Amino acid sequence: MKRMIAVFTVWMGLSFSGQELLAQDAISQEGEFGIGIGAGHYFGDLDTRAHLNRPKMAASFFFRKNFSNYIALRVGATYARLGYSDKYNTYNDYMLHRNLSFNTNVWELALQGDFNFFRFMPGEPGFNFTPYITLGAGVFSYDPYAYLRGQKIYLRPLGTEGQGIVAGRKQYSTMALSIPFGGGFKYALNERMNVGFEILYRFTNTDYLDDVSTTYVDPNIFPLNPDGSVSNAALLSDRSYEVGTPIGKPGIQRGNSRQKDQFVTALFTLSFNLQSYKCPTSK
């Protein structure tokens, strides 16, 4: 009798173990959705040396569809606050005297392909960590503004470089394209939840993220205010008068139109795995 009980106990244990293994094999990691929070930074005509001294808030929401343990396709929405000022360019007397500044809110929607360096299987010992790289394409909106006498003023409608006023200089769009490229790593806390860190660099097709691109224009093209005072367009086109002698003569370089503006985000991420259960077969 004792021998029969022992045999029955062993058989039951093996049966449950086998069922658990089949259940684990039947679990498929379909993808994940998550959020990210961190900082963003701008590079362009006001930050030509890629200084990272003025980071601002950034956040994201994403969905990742897995095609294997190595390859996934991701769609993500990212917000980044970007901005910079010539007052930080103490290494360059001309830029310091130029005295321009801007801020903008960026909203980006992007589609990216992700590649894991290691096999990533949340919940499986030895397969719960991987570094990865990502590349994609996106579209984003932006609308630079600055502060004058404490007042927030959007720069695009003013045509600070003669856009929409001078022949050949069209008003730039508030929409632009981006190519996000970067990488990161993720770690599965368990079969349901992951944490990670990611850096994404964006190449863009606009040079007006900062409202600075070409040359100064004649300030006389900007009409005076009804009361005869100088318009905001003229005051924000050349702000060198605030720190010294004005330098904004027509044709003098204001920015570098040969290089487009760029930005980067660095985010800590938290994501949740989406799983499906497939019935195991005898084959």
Side-chain angles (χ1 to χ4, degrees), residues 46-64:
L46 273 64
D47 183 13
T48 58
R49 294 193 178 184
H51 289 155
L52 290 167
N53 54 340
R54 285 299 177 273
K56 298 179 183 293
M57 178 186 172
S60 71
F61 175 81
F62 61 89
F63 168 74
R64 183 182 282 118

Side-chain angles (χ1 to χ4, degrees), residues 128-160:
N128 57 357
F129 169 81
T130 184
Y132 64 89
I133 57 174
T134 182
L135 174 67
V139 60
F140 67 93
S141 67
Y142 68 103
D143 199 1
Y145 60 89
Y147 288 92
L148 180 66
R149 303 189 186 104
Q151 181 184 2
K152 178 180 178 180
I153 301 174
Y154 284 94
L155 299 169
R156 176 177 174 269
L158 302 182
T160 55

